[in-house]
Amino acid sequence: MPERRPTVIHVDPERVDRDRLAPAVDALHGGDLVAFPTETVYGLGADALNPQAVGRIFEAKERPSGHPLIVHAAGEGEARAMAADWPSAASRLASAFWPGPLTLIVEKSDRIPDVVTGGLATVGLRVPDHPVALALLELAERPIAAPSANIHTRVSPTRAEHVRRGLGGRVAVIVDGGATDLGIESTVVRVDDDGPTILRPGMIPRSEIAEVAGGATGSPEDSADAGAPRASPGMADKHYAPVGRTRLIDRTEMREQIASAASDEAIGVLTVGEPPEAVEAGPVARVEVLSDDPGAYGEQLYAALHRLEEAGCDEIWIEVPPADERWEAIRDRLGRATG
Ligand code: TXA
Ligand code: MG
């Protein structure tokens, strides 16, 4: 794979200067990779209708070819054009949440090359709620296939700097639009005759999806027949994980374990709100104190994990987040990071 320096373009999301995006548009048209901000995380984009370009995404990410990509579109009309079928639940969810952090899994149109969906008959579609991403989609005048812009299984990027460090010369252009707002990847919902199924929780609460789609939202495990294909390939593996040993730990255990930790270990700690006193007194290399509000916590989480990784921690202890619905996506990602 050719390693060269990526071209970095700074675009202010508050005042998008479309002319500055020209090199990114040219790169997409030329079949090259462009990293760009969305409201969730940075995406690693390629022309979704160009199979060779899409192949480069898998190569750059070291991602197994069976893992389907999300196709980003400029609006609902453009997204629908990529679907063979548009159930009424898809229509309702799209009106309620697009542009926004929702990916709809529907039957794919023949226009989508098989490499995009890893051979599946369905495709994930999303209209991102980010002025830079939308400007890029409009200027490119084609759908953009984009997974999160990180090496497979690692922590997703919420800043351009994370992309540069993780993928560097494997991407032609990085569009830097600052830190992302939500910080946690989109809610992935399959809509078919059985109703909505949440394949990956995101920051839209499950109850809101159910209310809009009309019907309870199943989880893939509810319908997991023995031998049936996995609903969302790639979701079963370890994911979203920093380098180093990472584990979930509650406050009491954190206090006890710190007291008995060897002083030559570099322990990194991530807490929900103020850390227990023992942490400040113990042999801790780095403490990340995140908000006890799930929205603010989500926004900060991946940047904190990137910092703990950068600090070279041997072990990362993450405080178990609260049990309520608003924390579901965060619990899901931390479970995969430590699983
Ligand atoms: O917020 C996001 O969703 C970000 C930004 C860049 O849009 N993208 C992202 O993409 O997180 P990725 O590739 O890291 O995760 C895509 C998820 C995977 O869990 C994949 O299995 C699922 O969506 N997915 C995509 N297409 C699918 C399909 N046809 N059927 C089932 N699951 C699918
Ligand atoms: Mg990802």
Side-chain angles (χ1 to χ4, degrees), residues 265-269 282-287 308 311-314:
E265 271 178 317
I267 297 168
V269 169
V284 172
R286 183 169 184 106
V287 185
L308 288 165
C313 297
D314 302 314

Side-chain angles (χ1 to χ4, degrees), residues 182-194:
L182 281 176
I184 301 287
E185 305 81 355
S186 63
T187 306
V188 178
V189 181
R190 187 178 65 212
V191 278
D192 56 23
D193 298 340
D194 298 336

Side-chain angles (χ1 to χ4, degrees), residues 61 63 148 150 156 239-240:
K61 266 187 78 93
R63 174 158 163 144
S148 51
N150 52 279
S156 295
H239 247 97
Y240 313 103

Side-chain angles (χ1 to χ4, degrees), residues 214-268:
T217 52
S219 288
E221 54 272 23
D222 300 344
S223 58
D225 303 327
R230 271 194 318 217
S232 205
M235 285 302 289
D237 307 332
K238 190 178 173 91
H239 247 97
Y240 313 103
V243 168
R245 226 173 80 80
T246 307
R247 62 180 174 135
L248 278 171
I249 178 167
D250 68 26
R251 236 160 218 258
T252 317
E253 208 189 332
M254 194 180 276
R255 243 185 248 118
E256 289 165 8
Q257 301 248 333
I258 296 252
S260 57
S263 56
D264 59 349
E265 271 178 317
I267 297 168

Side-chain angles (χ1 to χ4, degrees), residues 11 21 50 120-121 159 203 228 239 250 273 299 304 314-315 321:
V11 181
L21 286 171
N50 176 341
L120 295 176
R159 287 150 212 251
M203 296 309 276
H239 247 97
D250 68 26
E299 186 184 334
D314 302 314
E315 286 210 21

